[in-house]
Amino acid sequence: MELKVSSLAERPEMHGRVTGMADTWPEFLRNDPVGNAHYGRIATELPEYVLFAEDERGEVVAHAYSVPFALADEDRGELPARGWDEVLVWAFSDRRHGVAPDTVSAISIVVAPHAQGAGLSARMLSAMRDNARAQGFDEVVAPVRPSAKHLEPRTEMAEYAFRTRGDGLPHDPWLRVHVRAGARIEAVAPASMTVAASLDEWRAWTGLPFDEEGQVEVPGALVPVHCEPRRGYAVYVEPNVWVRHAL
């Protein structure tokens, strides 16, 4: 597939088509309050960090979002345990307070459903790395959501993240793409995303009864959701995996 990759800064007229591209995220992931507060701001406020790919017909088939932030700030220095949520908060806090960024974090790489399986995620990761380098950065970090972890929701992420194949590459396909691109697996972010909601909301999102106390396995979730029927709520705390790309 021939692709044309651009940024929204270069082509602002594509904003609606990029943000409106279909995806396959589980419904519950659309309800992380930190993501709801900040994700949509990236395309508007940081368009130079939003890349998109068009196919031969001019259809948007993938996009890649990232954000700049100050990892070396005196109160930071380490990649945060709260992963995806925390780096979004840091990025927009830095922007509000005029703090100069020193690192770029990947936020998402999304391929349209009909274009999946053609290697577009690796191509968008490469484009994101190139874009960060062009902006003057020497590192990209990523709170990776391993693509096959949902098949093993009861496996500890600390074990899964560092599992390798016979050739030494990661067991997980999406982690493998990052390592092949030059990344190093750094650490687990144990609380990268958090979704707390009423049982009625979880039932609507998943079609599951959510009527028994304890751990509920939900399609698409990397770990079970903790259900508290007597209190009327359930909480999902998703671990991700921090990787680092030197540029």
Side-chain angles (χ1 to χ4, degrees):
M1 182 185 298
E2 282 199 25
L3 296 179
K4 178 182 179 181
V5 177
S6 309
S7 74
L8 276 182
E10 297 167 324
R11 297 182 60 197
E13 76 281 2
M14 295 293 288
H15 183 281
R17 291 175 58 189
V18 171
T19 59
M21 189 192 80
D23 61 54
T24 57
W25 293 118
E27 186 61 29
F28 64 87
L29 280 187
R30 303 177 192 276
N31 289 276
D32 170 27
V34 176
N36 283 347
H38 297 296
Y39 185 82
R41 299 174 61 188
I42 301 172
T44 301
E45 299 180 33
L46 297 166
E48 65 271 32
Y49 294 94
V50 177
L51 308 176
F52 63 94
E54 298 169 275
D55 64 11
E56 301 91 335
R57 300 183 303 278
E59 182 177 0
V60 177
V61 292
H63 56 65
Y65 283 45
S66 60
V67 293
F69 72 105
L71 180 58
D73 185 85
E74 60 180 330
D75 297 322
R76 302 173 189 170
E78 300 290 335
L79 294 171
R82 290 185 59 244
W84 193 83
D85 280 355
E86 191 81 283
V87 81
L88 277 171
V89 171
W90 283 357
F92 284 101
S93 174
D94 291 346
R95 178 173 172 78
R96 183 172 67 252
H97 293 103
V99 177
D102 54 44
T103 306
V104 169
S105 177
I107 294 298
S108 66
I109 292 178
V110 181
V111 178
H114 72 278
Q116 293 178 357
L120 270 64
S121 59
R123 294 166 76 175
M124 295 307 292
L125 176 60
S126 177
M128 181 186 289
R129 285 167 48 101
D130 290 345
N131 187 60
R133 188 184 298 111
Q135 300 283 350
F137 295 94
D138 58 16
E139 182 178 50
V140 169
V141 299
V144 175
R145 187 173 198 268
S147 59
K149 176 64 172 68
H150 68 99
L151 301 174
E152 300 183 37
R154 302 276 178 173
T155 301
E156 292 291 329
M157 184 63 91
E159 186 277 321
Y160 183 88
F162 293 95
R163 187 189 304 168
T164 58
R165 308 187 308 180
D167 60 3
L169 289 170
H171 162 81
D172 184 80
W174 189 212
L175 285 172
R176 198 158 57 240
V177 169
H178 280 269
V179 170
R180 279 178 169 153
R184 180 182 79 253
I185 297 176
E186 179 84 358
V188 171
S192 196
M193 299 181 183
T194 300
V195 180
S198 72
L199 299 185
D200 284 342
E201 288 174 298
W202 279 105
R203 290 166 185 146
W205 297 337
T206 67
L208 298 175
F210 274 90
D211 55 3
E212 294 187 10
E213 185 167 353
Q215 304 300 305
V216 179
E217 294 186 13
V218 171
L222 305 193
V223 295
V225 177
H226 182 72
C227 179
E228 292 271 6
R230 289 177 296 175
R231 294 180 171 88
Y233 71 88
V235 180
Y236 175 65
V237 181
E238 178 172 292
N240 288 165
V241 180
W242 277 115
V243 304
R244 305 183 86 132
H245 292 257
L247 302 178

